[in-house]
Amino acid sequence: MIRSVRVLLLPVVLLFPVLLTGCGTEEAGAGTGVDASVAVPSRAELDARVRALGIAPELVYVTKAPGFTLAQQSVGVYGDDGFSGVYWAKETNAQIQLSVERGTMTARSCPKQPVGGMAGERTVCEREGDAWYRAGGGRHEYALVEKGHVLKVSGDATKVTQAVLRSTLHSAHRPSDAELAAVLPPA
């Protein structure tokens, strides 16, 4: 009896490390993250899934960053009911955080708000078109005020160029149903 249990458990024990090698590498697909072969739920169903995560549906954005892919496991609530996701570059291990939260940013309030959540660091702000370019604590970001919320894209100043951040900001948009389905964690 003991021998038969060992014989049955051996394949499971040997397979376990193989199964673990994929952990923590979920990506929402290359580029847009949209898989055309998967049926897309209705917007009402998608919005319900977003709300279940504690995120206001109107605060969900996606973007495209050259050489970066959304790490699906990073998608979650930001602040009270905002949205956040991290885009990752496999070749350089650089990260860009996309975050959206309610609020505003002015010339007066910009330097008082830390870059990338790095409290206690000095923040330098420059107006660049409709957006703010901000730097501090070894990080930099673009912040864009839109309809009662602030959309930010930020990264390590030594790993992500200002041009890449600018491009990422300009590519940010509200997701289509297919993009939203790809971004959300599995139901």
Side-chain angles (χ1 to χ4, degrees), residues 87-109:
Y87 291 76
W88 173 69
K90 185 175 185 176
E91 292 193 16
T92 63
N93 212 25
Q95 298 177 359
I96 296 174
Q97 180 180 14
L98 167 73
S99 61
V100 185
E101 65 182 328
R102 296 186 194 281
T104 190
M105 188 172 291
T106 64
R108 176 174 276 172
S109 68

Side-chain angles (χ1 to χ4, degrees), residues 78 97 99 113-119 123 134 136 139-141 152-155:
Y78 186 81
Q97 180 180 14
S99 61
Q113 297 179 32
V115 175
M118 302 295 287
T123 299
R134 301 160 25 88
R139 297 187 59 80
H140 61 161
E141 73 182 12
K152 298 176 185 175
V153 291
S154 63

